Amino acid sequence: MPQPRRQRRDAGTSAGGRRPRRGGGRGGSDLGNRVIVAIPALAVALAMVALGGTVFLAGIGVLGLICLHELFSMFERARPARLAGFVGFLGLLAAASLGDRETILLAFMACLPIVFFVAANQAGGAGAPGISVTVLGLAWIGLALAHAVLLRDLDHGGGLVFAVLLGTFVGDTGAYLGGRAFGQRKLAPAISPNKTIEGLAIGVVAGTAAVWWAGLSQEWMGGSKGAILGVSIALAAPIGDLFESYLKRDAGTKDTGTLFGAHGGALDRLDAILFTAVTGYYVWLALT
């Protein structure tokens, strides 16, 4: 007997009234399409890294503004203080370019009264939810990309950023392929149903091996430092992925945007980088 209309509708929604995502984000995409998207994106990223300086800073700035826009759009109902988020983010990048970690911390703290002022005076107000989403954007996206600028400005910064990108990309690809081939046990089914423990393990091994291999060809890095840096990046990347998946599930959306067409927005592509850039910076400082 067919279900009543109301029951059939409820069966396709989550407990909070939102329709769950189909698939597990990136895990549900076809490998060929993933490569088609990844190759030009990597080419642009590598050009930014190689040129460095103003080009790298400007590219990071554009990507960060897009990421913030996507985050604020996901949680539009909270009425985030968009202007404060955008201005604060640019201030964090300027602090990273002109100063150091202490300067970035000072800039981040200076963002708080700006967020409060904008939130209190914007149409409709914002309140605690709006302030929370805005500060989340500055901490998650702003601080992470500011650390990417710091990483690029280190000695051998271009090679370090390349190592972070390599470890993140290879680890993600290894986890995807390994999960499809051998995945049996779910890693975090309530957050990202397609991710598996087996895929995670293969991704960590692949990402570590990629950075170790890259380190062998760089005298300033070497194999041992490359392996330590690689395993740190390979472990941080899936945490960043799960973090974004958790937020998307809470927002009831499959993708954060449409910058990459069917493959989602900038946050969908940079979620792991937002964790690995910070990890790579501090791990490398510890190693040197």
Side-chain angles (χ1 to χ4, degrees), residues 149-211:
V149 174
L150 290 180
L151 184 67
R152 180 61 182 84
D153 288 343
L154 292 176
D155 292 338
H156 310 294
L160 289 169
V161 175
F162 171 76
V164 169
L165 293 175
L166 178 67
T168 305
F169 175 74
V170 172
D172 179 66
T173 303
Y176 173 78
L177 295 176
R180 291 194 62 173
F182 306 106
Q184 296 292 330
R185 291 168 290 183
K186 300 296 184 182
L187 176 64
I191 299 175
S192 189
N194 283 348
K195 288 183 173 57
T196 62
I197 294 175
E198 293 82 4
L200 172 66
I202 293 171
V204 170
V205 172
T208 302
V211 181

Side-chain angles (χ1 to χ4, degrees), residues 3-102:
Q3 294 179 329
R5 184 185 300 270
R6 179 180 182 85
Q7 289 180 351
R8 283 188 280 115
R9 182 179 65 249
D10 291 345
T13 58
S14 64
R18 297 187 298 266
R19 186 172 298 276
R21 298 183 304 160
R22 295 180 181 178
R26 275 178 270 181
S29 60
D30 176 75
L31 178 60
N33 291 332
R34 289 163 62 91
V35 173
I36 289 173
V37 170
I39 288 178
L42 279 175
V44 172
L46 291 177
M48 288 169 48
V49 173
L51 293 171
T54 303
V55 173
F56 184 77
L57 186 65
I60 289 292
V62 171
L63 287 173
L65 290 174
I66 294 173
C67 287
L68 282 172
H69 168 71
E70 291 176 353
L71 174 66
F72 295 158
S73 296
M74 276 200 303
F75 294 100
E76 183 64 38
R77 65 184 182 276
R79 300 192 303 276
R82 286 176 173 265
L83 178 61
F86 296 148
V87 171
F89 168 69
L90 295 177
L92 289 172
L93 287 192
S97 178
L98 301 174
D100 52 18
R101 288 174 289 170
E102 287 73 20

